Amino acid sequence: MQVNYEAIIDEAKNKMMKWQEINEQNMWELFSNKEGYVVYTKKNPENGINMNRSQTEIARTPEQILDLVADVNKRPLYDEKVETAHVIEQIDANTRIIYVRIKPPIPFMSSRDLVMVQKVYKQNDGVYIVCSKSIIHQKTPPINKVERAEMHLSGWIIIPQPNQMTKIVTIQCFDPRGDVPTSVTNQYAKLQTDMMKAAIKYIALNYK
């Protein structure tokens, strides 16, 4: 049976756009507001997994940001937590199946890997959205001694601003799977904000 990747990722994108709003209904709790990065957390209402929402602005174009964050092959350039990342299958110009393997946050733990469908959306208002969600891919089964994690939702929302700045919002709901202590799960949650900061730093230094 052929998998409808389009329907899977469209559903994830619609949830992300609904949840990205800071309002009473979404129940985000402020976690930190430091050095231009605002981070919120909450539980995913569907599964109870921790979610993070990070936000910042940068004086670069939306296209420059998209060039980096939508290309999984560039992920190791700025994210030192990634062992490897590549495209498994190109579905169409905007949709692909990607593979990412993440280093363990502490010694003696196994690496985590992800197989995800990723799609880039461009809205009429100039907003770009890069959304990813875990899938089962028959050609990429789990690897021995690597824990197959699950990304319930991951995305970048890239929003042009009138002052030649670009606002960036990232949302992530990640389950590392396996027998992982809560303290380590929280470290994985922190990786999202660290990854965003690293990407912004890379863009500032390499995109003029």
Side-chain angles (χ1 to χ4, degrees):
M1 184 176 70
Q2 188 171 2
V3 179
N4 189 342
Y5 294 120
E6 192 82 14
I8 292 171
I9 198 62
D10 284 350
E11 181 183 9
K13 175 253 189 180
N14 291 337
K15 289 179 182 178
M16 184 175 72
M17 296 307 291
K18 179 181 73 173
W19 289 340
Q20 65 100 11
E21 297 291 343
I22 304 296
N23 54 34
E24 289 186 6
Q25 181 180 359
N26 284 335
M27 300 177 66
W28 288 106
E29 296 183 5
L30 181 64
F31 178 75
S32 67
N33 185 351
K34 298 177 182 177
E35 301 175 346
Y37 293 88
V38 185
V39 183
Y40 293 84
T41 63
K42 73 169 188 172
K43 298 287 187 182
N44 186 324
E46 296 180 350
N47 53 33
I49 303 294
N50 286 337
M51 296 179 65
N52 277 16
R53 180 195 186 278
S54 302
Q55 177 180 318
T56 194
E57 290 191 0
I58 184 174
R60 295 292 184 271
T61 68
E63 289 74 20
Q64 288 173 320
I65 298 161
L66 182 72
D67 178 74
L68 183 69
V69 303
D71 187 346
V72 70
N73 295 303
K74 294 179 180 178
R75 180 79 178 266
L77 294 177
Y78 61 89
D79 191 347
E80 64 180 14
K81 308 296 193 305
V82 169
E83 290 183 1
T84 184
H86 61 269
V87 175
I88 297 171
E89 180 181 351
Q90 190 76 36
I91 305 299
D92 58 40
N94 297 311
T95 313
R96 59 198 62 88
I97 309 301
I98 63 174
Y99 177 85
V100 179
R101 189 183 304 169
I102 306 167
K103 299 174 184 176
I106 61 173
F108 311 112
M109 275 188 63
S110 60
S111 300
R112 261 54 184 175
D113 70 356
L114 294 156
V115 176
M116 299 178 286
V117 55
Q118 180 194 73
K119 184 174 179 179
V120 176
Y121 302 80
K122 183 178 181 182
Q123 300 186 159
N124 293 332
D125 57 2
V127 173
Y128 289 105
I129 302 160
V130 183
C131 188
S132 305
K133 177 180 171 56
S134 281
I135 57 166
I136 296 173
H137 192 260
Q138 300 299 331
K139 296 180 181 179
T140 315
I143 300 170
N144 186 35
K145 297 184 179 180
V146 176
E147 187 76 33
R148 180 62 48 90
E150 181 169 5
M151 187 68 75
H152 294 279
L153 179 68
S154 177
W156 294 71
I157 306 169
I158 305 167
I159 310 163
Q161 303 294 291
N163 59 356
Q164 297 187 329
M165 299 288 285
T166 298
K167 176 181 174 182
I168 305 168
V169 176
T170 63
I171 295 178
Q172 187 176 83
C173 182
F174 174 73
D175 184 354
R177 296 287 184 91
D179 187 13
V180 181
T182 302
S183 59
V184 176
T185 301
N186 291 337
Q187 287 187 53
Y188 274 113
K190 184 178 178 292
L191 292 182
Q192 183 224 354
T193 303
D194 290 345
M195 180 265 292
M196 181 189 198
K197 291 179 178 179
I200 298 306
K201 181 179 179 180
Y202 187 90
I203 291 166
L205 292 173
N206 294 279
Y207 290 74
K208 305 300 182 183

